[in-house]
Amino acid sequence: MPTPREIRRRIRSVRNTAQITRAMEMVAASKMRRAQQHVLATRPYAERIRAMIGDLAAMADTEEQARYPLLARRPIQRSQIILITSDRGLAGAFNTNVIRRAIQVMNERPESLENIDIVTIGRKGRDFLTRYGRPLVASFTDVGDYPSLESIRPVVRIATDDFVAGKVDAVYVVYTRFINTLRQVPEVLQVLPIEAPPGTDEVTDYIFEPSPEAVLQALLPRFVEVQLYQALLESIASEHSARMVAMRNATDNARELVSELTLTYNKARQAQITREVTEIAAGAAALG
Amino acid sequence: MAKLSVEVVTGERVVFQEDDVDMVVVPGADGTLGILPRHAPLISLLSLGEMRVIKGGQEQSLAVFGGFVEVAHNRVRVLADTAERAEEIDLARAEEARKRAEARLGRAQADVDLIRAEAALRRSIIRLKVGRRSRGRQPVGPQQELGNL
């Protein structure tokens, strides 16, 4: 049985921990809200680009489509996987889940592991993969909580350059989709070649300047960019909500522990008092 | 009389939104485009330059740097690579950027440097132009228009 003094010390320490986790929960909650707004703000642009590509691609037949390097479908011999994790931990199973999903994707690909190039965004993914001896084509860290579109461009450049040069035949991004505060799902998205969405037929009467081909040519890289950007923003929103929930659980656990310890402390204190009283009584009896 | 509704969005955010607009001028890839209500459906590439939105004799100005414009059913949607409203532009910073670019242009060696410096110079000049216009916003008449050129 620990002494009351030991228990008291323990209670104080657990209380401090609870205070810290509570603070982290609040920080994560506010960052999560901003990240969510950020995701929403990118949607109008992404949706229009997507719709325009769909309509324009529908105007071109398969043969014409093959002339656009970013639409080129080849038999897949080498692929590239972009893994988005966070820089920091203490976010529950957030990183574990997305890394596990990436490993699963790699194992399921028909091409062998040596034929899969990996690019990581976030320290956790990088650390994990290097620990397991997987070489990385590139790794990016410190994108921050509110990254600009500019910050994703180097990643986009690697993906498109490698794809256009024929170094890889497909590019996938593994990221965490934000569904709601309690649910974030790791997902895989094919970035390249671009799968043109179905057209709406609305676009046929448009005047194009300089030409439909030039417009499509300019749209395609933007689409890659915005897709990766959205994947990154969704991952960030997911990270913060995962951390928020993890920290809330930690706070709850700490509080529970405090109440248990308080009970133990009271019992120990009472036992001590009883013992002292018995000792005094026994002493008095011995004297009398 | 029909009016236009105008929206400028980038990959990061919605930059500008306005309804009941009389006319929009955007820097098209093949030259400046003036868009009035009931314009035919159009999709055009954009170059860098000033975009103007005219509503009831008042004019608002934006700097846009590349992207697309889509016109259909009296809706003008600009999907810009980058765009800034005039009042967002930091004139001092743009001025500095202009000086830096000019200095770099003077001693540029490689072609890449030259191209970069030129692009930076163009961007800063556009920012300055758009930014200055917003500081003294007056109703626009024909003379005013000339005066600003």
Side-chain angles (χ1 to χ4, degrees):
Chain A
M1 187 89 173
T3 64
R5 192 222 286 257
E6 274 166 5
I7 300 175
R8 215 160 47 213
R9 199 179 291 150
R10 184 86 201 283
I11 290 176
R12 208 179 309 136
S13 130
V14 173
R15 255 198 203 121
N16 279 338
T17 310
Q19 227 163 46
I20 293 165
T21 54
R22 173 102 184 111
M24 286 179 76
E25 179 194 331
M26 311 275 254
V27 172
S30 99
K31 284 187 176 174
M32 179 190 80
R33 261 192 304 275
R34 276 195 63 181
Q36 265 173 277
Q37 284 163 1
H38 210 151
V39 173
L40 288 180
T42 64
R43 288 219 172 124
Y45 182 84
E47 272 161 24
R48 277 325 292 161
I49 297 258
R50 163 173 273 280
M52 275 160 72
I53 287 184
D55 290 339
L56 278 164
M59 285 166 68
D61 55 35
T62 329
E63 209 171 294
E64 280 177 65
Q65 281 191 17
R67 284 201 321 245
Y68 299 93
L70 296 183
L71 291 173
R73 217 161 303 176
R74 304 185 282 260
I76 298 170
Q77 275 156 5
R78 280 191 77 90
S79 56
Q80 183 176 89
I81 288 180
I82 301 170
L83 170 63
I84 304 181
T85 58
S86 69
D87 281 342
R88 273 175 246 176
L90 290 182
F94 170 76
N95 286 308
T96 321
N97 285 344
V98 71
I99 290 171
R100 189 184 296 143
R101 187 70 220 267
I103 303 271
Q104 186 197 348
V105 170
M106 287 180 220
N107 289 333
E108 279 170 6
R109 302 269 345 139
E111 59 271 23
S112 59
L113 278 183
E114 305 84 70
N115 287 328
I116 301 177
D117 289 349
I118 306 171
V119 173
T120 60
I121 302 177
R123 208 162 275 140
K124 291 289 166 180
R126 181 198 67 187
D127 292 353
F128 180 88
L129 289 165
T130 41
R131 202 158 47 236
Y132 281 82
R134 294 297 323 265
L136 304 178
V137 176
S139 71
F140 298 89
T141 55
D142 299 301
V143 288
D145 291 321
Y146 317 108
S148 65
L149 189 55
E150 197 57 51
S151 61
I152 198 82
R153 291 215 167 111
V155 188
V156 176
R157 193 166 315 129
I158 289 175
T160 46
D161 286 357
D162 284 0
F163 181 77
V164 172
K167 270 199 235 165
V168 296
D169 306 304
V171 179
Y172 303 91
V173 57
V174 183
Y175 71 106
T176 310
R177 196 152 88 91
F178 180 87
I179 293 173
N180 58 42
T181 314
L182 296 174
R183 238 166 88 74
Q184 303 91 34
V185 189
E187 254 177 35
V188 192
L189 181 75
Q190 179 179 324
V191 182
L192 287 167
I194 293 171
E195 296 270 5
T200 54
D201 280 344
E202 258 180 31
V203 86
T204 35
D205 298 333
Y206 277 69
I207 306 165
F208 289 96
E209 277 186 27
S211 65
E213 292 77 27
V215 173
L216 183 54
Q217 193 78 51
L219 274 169
L220 293 172
R222 294 284 160 248
F223 187 57
V224 178
E225 204 170 86
V226 82
Q227 271 199 316
L228 277 174
Y229 188 53
Q230 278 193 315
L232 177 64
L233 294 182
E234 294 241 2
S235 294
I236 291 171
S238 300
E239 175 199 340
H240 291 310
S241 49
R243 179 168 299 124
M244 186 185 88
V245 171
M247 289 302 114
R248 178 176 300 161
N249 288 340
T251 312
D252 290 348
N253 286 343
R255 287 192 179 144
E256 200 175 307
L257 195 56
V258 167
S259 70
E260 269 168 33
L261 283 172
T262 311
L263 195 65
T264 324
Y265 168 73
N266 285 339
K267 275 187 187 156
R269 194 177 59 98
Q270 207 165 30
Q272 197 181 21
I273 293 165
T274 315
R275 200 173 60 237
E276 273 168 25
V277 171
T278 336
E279 274 163 14
I280 292 164
L287 282 176
Chain B
M1 164 104 182
K3 302 265 181 178
L4 293 166
S5 68
V6 181
E7 203 179 31
V8 179
V9 294
T10 67
E12 287 172 10
R13 64 196 176 116
V14 177
V15 180
F16 179 87
Q17 209 165 12
E18 187 84 66
D19 292 329
D20 300 320
V21 168
D22 297 308
M23 177 174 164
V24 181
V25 179
V26 294
D30 290 346
T32 305
L33 292 169
I35 297 157
L36 291 168
R38 304 168 71 167
H39 194 285
L42 164 87
I43 293 178
S44 170
L45 294 181
L46 295 178
S47 67
L48 344 175
E50 182 185 22
M51 168 176 171
R52 293 185 297 155
V53 177
I54 296 142
K55 176 182 176 178
Q58 291 282 321
E59 183 174 316
Q60 279 168 287
S61 194
L62 294 97
V64 300
F65 305 97
F68 314 87
V69 62
E70 184 190 14
V71 185
H73 316 298
N74 289 327
R75 260 183 95 101
V76 179
R77 268 209 203 92
V78 173
L79 306 169
D81 296 349
T82 320
E84 283 152 29
R85 287 195 304 273
E87 64 269 21
E88 291 171 336
I89 293 171
D90 183 341
L91 279 177
R93 227 182 106 189
E95 182 61 44
E96 232 165 77
R98 188 179 65 87
K99 285 194 186 125
R100 229 180 11 247
E102 274 172 352
R104 216 169 279 161
L105 217 49
R107 38 162 223 272
Q109 302 288 321
D111 285 351
V112 185
D113 293 348
L114 205 66
I115 291 165
R116 277 216 188 121
E118 252 169 26
L121 184 61
R122 279 181 72 187
R123 280 198 303 272
S124 61
I125 289 172
I126 291 163
R127 282 207 175 92
L128 284 171
K129 185 174 158 198
V130 173
R132 286 213 179 106
R133 203 190 276 278
S134 83
R135 310 303 153 178
R137 190 184 295 156
Q138 297 113 349
V140 182
Q143 287 105 11
Q144 182 74 40
E145 190 85 321
L146 284 175
N148 272 343
L149 294 172

